[in-house]
Amino acid sequence: MAEPKATESNDDALPMLTLAASDLEVPAGTTVQIVVPTHAAGAHLYLAYAENAQGDIRVEIADQHGHTLYDELNTTGEVALAVHNSDFCTLSWDNSAAWMSAASVSYTVKVLSEKRAREAEAGRAQGRLLAAASLGELDVIAELAAAA
């Protein structure tokens, strides 16, 4: 089983955290859980995942109070969540429905503070605005200006 790799960079409120694994094994009949630190003041969690073997693996994200924030039965997916009033989330890979086949999952989960999430969105909007301006797409420019 590949251990998740963590990287951090400092921020005033919450560091940006990235956890990733390319070959997380989830044995048949089991659930593997990963605790992801967030921040009670608010954080944004981004998850991208893909199951490396065909099967029915359930992906669930719950806050520290046990409230389900995301629950899907997909082989691949991406999700962005705002997390509030929770110091951590639990990411679960549930392969309990399988009798014999282990599942292998690749994933990347990123946690950003509210401040960093706003900065990232502003940067994406600026990039879209510059691209639209260079292509002369006035309707896109008007839409981005109205959203700002």
Side-chain angles (χ1 to χ4, degrees):
M1 175 173 77
E3 292 296 318
K5 296 178 185 172
T7 58
E8 290 187 27
S9 60
N10 292 328
D11 182 303
D12 297 343
L14 173 75
M16 179 177 165
L17 173 70
T18 301
L19 296 172
S22 59
D23 195 19
L24 175 68
E25 184 179 335
V26 185
T30 68
T31 299
V32 171
Q33 294 184 325
I34 299 163
V35 176
V36 179
T38 57
H39 194 277
H44 290 256
L45 185 143
Y46 302 92
L47 170 67
Y49 62 94
E51 185 178 353
N52 300 331
Q54 295 301 325
D56 292 329
I57 193 162
R58 179 172 294 285
V59 179
E60 180 179 292
I61 300 172
D63 67 13
Q64 77 179 53
H65 310 289
H67 299 121
T68 300
L69 305 174
Y70 180 78
D71 186 4
E72 289 293 328
L73 185 63
N74 286 328
T75 56
T76 62
E78 291 186 18
V79 62
L81 301 169
V83 180
H84 299 282
N85 302 316
S86 185
D87 290 324
F88 65 88
C89 286
T90 304
L91 173 58
S92 301
W93 306 101
D94 183 355
N95 196 24
S96 60
W99 290 26
M100 300 186 62
S101 299
S104 176
V105 177
S106 297
Y107 71 90
T108 299
V109 61
K110 294 182 180 188
V111 179
L112 278 75
S113 66
E114 292 281 344
K115 176 183 171 185
R116 283 195 182 225
R118 282 191 305 272
E119 289 170 354
E121 182 56 36
R124 283 190 295 273
Q126 183 179 20
R128 288 193 309 264
L129 181 59
L130 290 172
S134 69
L135 296 172
E137 297 175 340
L138 299 178
D139 57 333
V140 175
I141 295 169
E143 178 184 329
L144 290 169

